[in-house]
Amino acid sequence: MGASSTQDVTTVKQNVVVIPDLTIKDLLSAIPAHCFKRSALRSSLYIAWDAVVITGLYKGATFLDSFINPQQLSLPSPYLYPVARVSLWALYGFWTGLFATGLWVIAHECGHQAFSESKFINNSVGWVLHSALGVPYHSWRITHAKHHASTGHLTQDQVFVPKTRSQLGLPALDPTKEDILGSSVTEEVKKELWEAIGDSPIGATLGAASYLLAGWPAYLIRNASGQKRYPKGTSHFAPKAVMFAPHQYGSIVLSDIGVLLWLAGVGASIYSFGFSNVFRLYLVPYLWVNHWLVLITFLQHTDPLLPHYRAPEFTFPRGALATLDRKLLADLGPIMGWIGAHATHGISETHVLHHVSSKIPHYNAWEAAAALRKRLDQAGLKLQGAPGGWKEVYRVYKECKFVEDEGNILFYKNAHGLAATRPAYNDDNASDSGVEVDKL
């Protein structure tokens, strides 16, 4: 590294991640042909099922709520009645939000044209479902397509783009004290970086929680965690925003109209039924939907194991494989893992496959993902992350702080300037990555 022998140096043993050289043809050929078939009828049945479950949750909560009063229920203390009601409706909000996330996932599939063979049906259903959840359908569809085309690209990806050392205002990398790959750093630099960006457990918890609660609207409104080269305040609601082409102006306006109708509907409901009713029946589940969306997508695209690329090293297959599958809520037990996957239509568990071919509907994604994993295993790629839950968000939030300004293959460093991972190639045809890499 070049550091003085008199300096205390921290060295870490790093994971080695293969930088793939697979072609998209190679990846797609591993997937059975029938998995690419789309059916409007079958997709619609999943909308109906989600609606049935949500209706059942509402009916069940309303029925139980009618018993929580002194005449129907005998509790040891009168103070327990409001506690029981709050607990009941909190559970309703949690479970309704989880299954409403399933509706969000289906709307997202419409944006990928995975709902049916008809573009008109896809966009009509997607506009209705996403507008009902406060999402500008076409605006997000357009930028999300760019995200899929450039996943993991440091200057072209649209969301969960890492901040660089210079963007955080950190001191420039000193090669006499730091390894660019993050395997070693002096105690002096560790302390300096920690004082600049380190998190206490409480600070990390609050930071991660605020990210989960406000991250989605912040991204839509002002491009928070989005592409850093966009002008400050870039918004999905602005038809002339830099991320949209002139011919897309009408689609952005239509998306804004959908959100305005949603706001009008929420306002009218509050006027007619009262804020407390609308809050517990709709707004709490809506906040849970936003929470699940950020939790799932954050963990799919953020981890010390995932590479990010600059232009010289980026290819579409590499970007598609710079993602992770995670079993949602599986850390809470197999039953919760099954419910999480069922409610959200496997969006967390089959995400690598989704990036390889986004037009495969979710009901075919399980088989397609299993077939794709066999091919990836042959290439030495293990893209199954730890279970997706709050504990994992906390860990990733603390470990993924910044990437370097130099190099074309980058891995996150933590607040001490150390990286958990380094790149490696599995053949002798590696191109120049801008940094030293291993060869397997």
Side-chain angles (χ1 to χ4, degrees), residues 280-297:
R280 65 187 171 91
L281 293 177
Y282 177 81
L283 292 179
V284 170
Y286 164 75
L287 292 174
W288 273 112
V289 170
N290 289 354
H291 156 276
W292 289 121
L293 170 63
V294 175
L295 182 147
I296 291 169
T297 54

Side-chain angles (χ1 to χ4, degrees), residues 111-385:
H112 284 294
Q113 306 302 305
F115 184 85
S116 77
E117 301 287 343
S118 166
K119 184 176 180 180
F120 175 79
I121 292 175
N122 289 331
N123 287 339
S124 298
V125 174
W127 183 86
V128 170
L129 289 179
H130 261 167
S131 296
L133 293 168
V135 180
Y137 170 71
H138 288 290
S139 308
W140 186 76
R141 173 183 65 80
I142 291 166
T143 61
H144 189 61
K146 292 182 178 182
H147 158 66
H148 270 257
S150 303
T151 307
H153 193 301
L154 206 65
T155 56
Q156 297 297 329
D157 202 354
Q158 300 295 301
V159 69
F160 301 119
V161 180
K163 290 184 178 179
T164 64
R165 177 185 289 260
S166 61
Q167 287 169 342
L168 286 176
L170 300 175
L173 183 140
D174 184 345
T176 67
K177 298 179 180 179
E178 303 175 78
D179 175 7
I180 189 172
L181 291 177
S183 62
S184 56
V185 64
T186 65
E187 291 298 316
E188 174 191 351
V189 172
K190 279 180 62 178
K191 181 179 179 182
E192 188 175 16
L193 291 174
W194 179 261
E195 289 176 349
I197 57 174
D199 288 316
S200 67
I202 294 177
T205 300
L206 293 176
S210 63
Y211 196 69
L212 292 176
L213 291 174
W216 173 239
Y219 170 63
L220 291 178
I221 294 170
R222 58 181 183 85
N223 194 43
S225 83
Q227 181 50 244
K228 306 298 184 287
R229 64 183 175 83
Y230 288 161
K232 186 177 181 180
T234 296
S235 174
H236 278 74
F237 297 99
K240 293 185 179 180
V242 66
M243 52 204 180
F244 304 127
H247 73 274
Q248 295 167 334
Y249 187 97
S251 295
I252 310 309
V253 171
L254 182 61
S255 302
D256 291 349
I257 291 173
V259 173
L260 287 173
L261 290 173
W262 168 72
L263 288 171
V266 172
S269 298
I270 292 173
Y271 179 81
S272 299
F273 306 110
F275 177 79
S276 61
N277 284 324
V278 175
F279 180 76
R280 65 187 171 91
L281 293 177
Y282 177 81
L283 292 179
V284 170
Y286 164 75
L287 292 174
W288 273 112
V289 170
N290 289 354
H291 156 276
W292 289 121
L293 170 63
V294 175
L295 182 147
I296 291 169
T297 54
F298 172 72
L299 291 178
Q300 287 165 343
H301 297 286
T302 314
D303 193 276
L305 294 173
L306 290 177
H308 289 81
Y309 302 96
R310 290 194 169 94
E313 283 291 327
F314 178 83
T315 65
F316 175 81
R318 284 182 176 177
L321 301 178
T323 59
L324 288 176
D325 291 336
R326 297 182 186 269
K327 295 180 180 179
L328 185 64
L329 298 179
D331 55 336
L332 300 179
I335 294 178
M336 284 297 293
W338 181 87
I339 294 174
H342 174 76
T344 59
H345 304 305
I347 189 62
S348 183
E349 291 79 4
T350 62
H351 195 68
V352 176
L353 176 278
H354 175 65
H355 269 269
V356 170
S357 180
S358 59
K359 283 189 176 181
I360 294 179
H362 67 87
Y363 41 83
N364 291 335
W366 297 97
E367 180 183 356
L372 178 64
R373 284 191 196 107
K374 292 181 180 179
R375 178 65 187 92
L376 296 180
D377 285 345
Q378 295 173 0
L381 293 168
K382 305 293 184 182
L383 302 180
Q384 181 73 53

Side-chain angles (χ1 to χ4, degrees), residues 52-74:
V52 166
V53 172
I54 291 171
T55 300
L57 289 168
Y58 165 73
K59 292 291 187 180
T62 302
F63 175 78
L64 293 174
D65 187 58
S66 66
F67 284 90
I68 302 178
N69 59 71
Q71 289 74 36
Q72 298 286 343
L73 188 66
S74 178

